[in-house]
Amino acid sequence: MTWLITGGAGYIGAHVARAMTEAGERVAVLDDLSSGVSGRLPESVPLVRGSVLDRELLDRTLTGLGVTGVVHLAAKKQVGESVEKPLLYYRENVHGLTVLLEAVVAAGVRSFVFSSSAAVYGMPDVDLVTERTPCLPINPYGETKLAGEWLVRATGAAHGIATACLRYFNVAGAARPELADTGVFNIIPMMFDRVTRGERPLIFGDDYATPDGTCVRDYIHIEDLATAHLAAARRLAERPGAGDLTLNVGTGFGVSVREMADLIGEITGRPELTPETAPRRPGDPARVVASNELIAKELGWSARHGLRDMVASAWEGWCLHHPEARRA
C-alpha cells in the first residue's frame, strides 16, 4: 500500500503521517501549507504542495506515486469561521472532497479514510454518544463533515471502495513539542494563552446541568488519534472494497472545563490564576462524551494516554513556540 495523506503537514495530519511511517507504511502528503508546516514531516515522506481542489494535480499525484489508499484530513475546521464564511467551508470541505473522490475513482484507489468530527452530532442529549446517535449539526462546519460522510459512503458503495469515517472528539497534546498545535482556537491553547499573559483562564458558563456546572467533554491525545487512523487504514487495506466503517474516536471519559482549568494551573505552575467565569457561548452543549465500544470491537483500538499526558505535552509544545510562557 501507498497512502496519500491530504492535509498531512497540519497538526493532526503530521501526527498521522509519523504514526503510519513509523509503523512501516509507505506515505506521501498533499498539503497546500495554508496552515500546515512542512518541517513537521519526516524527511522520508514526500510532500506535494497543492489543493484538493486541483484535479490535474490530484490525477498526477495519485498515478505518479502509485497511491492505493487515501487518508483525507485536509479541511477548514474552525466553527466560528464557518458561521461567518459558510461558502468557503462548503467549497473547501464539500466541493474539495468531491474533486478528490472523482480523482480517487479515476485512479482506481481502493481504500479511503475520512476525517470526520463529533460536530456532526450537534448538541446530543445523551450520557454517551454512540454512532447511532442522531446527527444534527448546528453549524456549517459540522454540516460539511456530515455531508462529507454521505459523499464518502455513497462513492464507496458505487465504486467498490472500502471507506472509514472517523468521528473524533476534542484533540489535544503532542507526540513531540515541535508537532504541537500552533493555533489558539481550542480550550487548552486558549487557556495557555491567558496564563502566558498573566490572565485568569475563562470558563464559558458555570450553570450547566453537570456535577460542577461547567461543560463536560471527551479529550483524546493526538497520538491515540493517530494510531486510530493507522488502525482504520490497515483494516481497509485488509478488506478492499468491503463496505464502510463509521466510528467514534474518543476515550469514553468526560472531563469538565473546571477540572481542565485546575489541571492547567497545576502543570503550568500558575495555580493562583483561578478560572474566571464568562457568559455561556451559544450552541455549547452541556456534555459530549463518546462511546468507544464500536471502535474497540471493530479495530481493537483504545486510547492509551490520559489527560495529564495531553496537557503536559501540549504545554511543552506551547512553550517551544512561545518561550515567554516559561517566564510567565
Side-chain angles (χ1 to χ4, degrees):
M1 294 287 293
T2 296
W3 292 93
L4 179 69
I5 304 175
T6 69
Y11 166 53
I12 294 174
H15 280 88
V16 174
R18 284 181 176 269
M20 295 185 71
T21 300
E22 290 171 1
E25 301 290 339
R26 289 190 296 179
V27 168
V29 163
L30 175 79
D31 199 301
D32 64 7
L33 300 184
S34 58
S35 59
V37 179
S38 59
R40 286 174 167 152
L41 295 174
E43 292 183 1
S44 62
V45 174
L47 169 64
V48 178
R49 183 169 184 176
S51 168
V52 293
L53 290 161
D54 187 339
R55 175 63 190 274
E56 291 185 4
L57 175 63
L58 291 173
D59 289 340
R60 291 197 305 271
T61 300
L62 293 173
T63 57
L65 296 177
V67 172
T68 50
V70 171
V71 179
H72 179 50
L73 295 111
K76 296 294 183 184
K77 63 175 186 177
Q78 301 306 325
V79 169
E81 184 182 54
S82 79
V83 175
E84 297 171 0
K85 302 177 180 179
L87 291 174
L88 171 65
Y89 271 66
Y90 272 87
R91 181 173 187 271
E92 293 284 338
N93 294 3
V94 180
H95 181 58
L97 174 59
T98 303
V99 175
L100 175 60
L101 287 170
E102 290 172 345
V104 160
V105 169
V109 173
R110 309 304 295 166
S111 302
F112 195 95
V113 179
F114 177 58
S115 168
S116 189
S117 167
V120 300
Y121 294 116
M123 298 179 67
D125 186 19
V126 293
D127 286 338
L128 288 178
V129 178
T130 75
E131 290 79 0
R132 292 184 178 275
T133 299
C135 292
L136 300 168
I138 59 173
N139 51 65
Y141 168 67
E143 292 167 1
T144 65
K145 285 299 183 181
L146 184 56
E149 289 189 11
W150 294 339
L151 273 172
V152 168
R153 291 192 200 100
T155 303
H159 298 279
I161 301 169
T163 62
C165 298
L166 302 183
R167 296 171 174 170
Y168 39 88
F169 286 61
N170 297 271
V171 185
R176 303 177 187 178
E178 62 270 22
L179 298 181
D181 190 1
T182 56
V184 188
F185 303 105
N186 300 317
I187 182 173
I188 292 176
M190 286 172 63
M191 288 188 174
F192 286 168
D193 183 53
R194 299 272 300 184
V195 168
T196 298
R197 291 186 279 115
E199 299 175 359
R200 297 164 63 191
L202 289 179
I203 290 177
F204 295 97
D206 62 357
D207 57 350
Y208 289 91
T210 60
D212 66 14
T214 67
C215 292
V216 174
R217 296 291 183 266
D218 188 330
Y219 297 92
I220 180 169
H221 197 293
I222 184 67
E223 286 192 272
D224 287 327
L225 180 61
T227 62
H229 282 80
L230 171 64
R234 285 185 161 172
R235 168 66 175 275
L236 299 189
E238 292 168 359
R239 305 181 186 181
D244 169 73
L245 287 172
T246 300
L247 303 170
N248 288 338
V249 188
T251 66
F253 179 72
V255 177
S256 76
V257 176
R258 188 173 299 281
E259 289 172 327
M260 177 65 77
D262 291 343
L263 181 57
I264 286 174
E266 177 187 339
I267 286 175
T268 61
R270 298 301 301 272
E272 74 279 5
L273 293 175
T274 56
E276 175 183 342
T277 301
R280 289 189 183 192
R281 294 181 301 188
D284 271 350
R287 175 184 170 90
V288 183
V289 179
S291 166
N292 56 9
E293 290 185 5
L294 187 58
I295 192 170
K297 176 183 176 182
E298 293 288 346
L299 302 182
W301 176 94
S302 62
R304 297 185 177 182
H305 295 274
L307 187 66
R308 181 173 290 273
D309 287 343
M310 294 182 220
V311 176
S313 62
W315 178 242
E316 288 300 315
W318 177 269
C319 290
L320 176 67
H321 296 289
H322 303 84
E324 70 277 12
R326 291 289 192 193
R327 301 187 295 270

